Amino acid sequence: MVALLGLLAVAGFQNRDKLGGLLNGLGNQPADPANPGRATGGLGDILGGLGGALGGASAGGVLSGGLGDLVDRFRQTGRGAQADSWIVPGQENAPVQSTDLEETLGEDTITELTQKTGLSRAELLDRLTKTLPQAINHLTPEGRLPTEAEAQRLAG
């Protein structure tokens, strides 16, 4: 989930074609000899090691797992109808406010995202409020969370 949110905050959904390319590169970057757990180049450098922390995770796994975790968090905090509006075809996407994200994601996740993306807290939340509903809507064209294989195709 953190990887997905970091990608959306840094790349933005407006650059979704580039986002697919970045996702396909996750876990496929060469290891940094000085830090074997960290990938070099590409997304690993853009997100300050977030890509390297994913190891061999596939784009499909990042998307399907991240989406599932994120929607679960919205449901657990009483915002299930809001998240469902982004998934259900034909339904208008409910907006998300910074306060919704703060309460849903929690302080630890927001702190981790600001550290790994290099964005300020305000910029991170602003970008996510603008990109999250549309991105989830796009990534759930069948009106449900995609399987890992389906998510892999969406990322490509």
Side-chain angles (χ1 to χ4, degrees), residues 27 39 51 68 79 105 114 139:
R79 294 174 178 82
L105 300 178
T114 59
L139 296 169

Side-chain angles (χ1 to χ4, degrees), residues 124-146:
L124 174 80
L125 293 171
D126 181 60
R127 288 185 184 199
L128 288 175
T129 61
K130 292 176 182 174
T131 60
L132 193 58
Q134 184 181 7
I136 291 179
N137 182 270
H138 177 76
L139 296 169
T140 56
E142 301 294 323
R144 59 175 170 73
L145 296 174

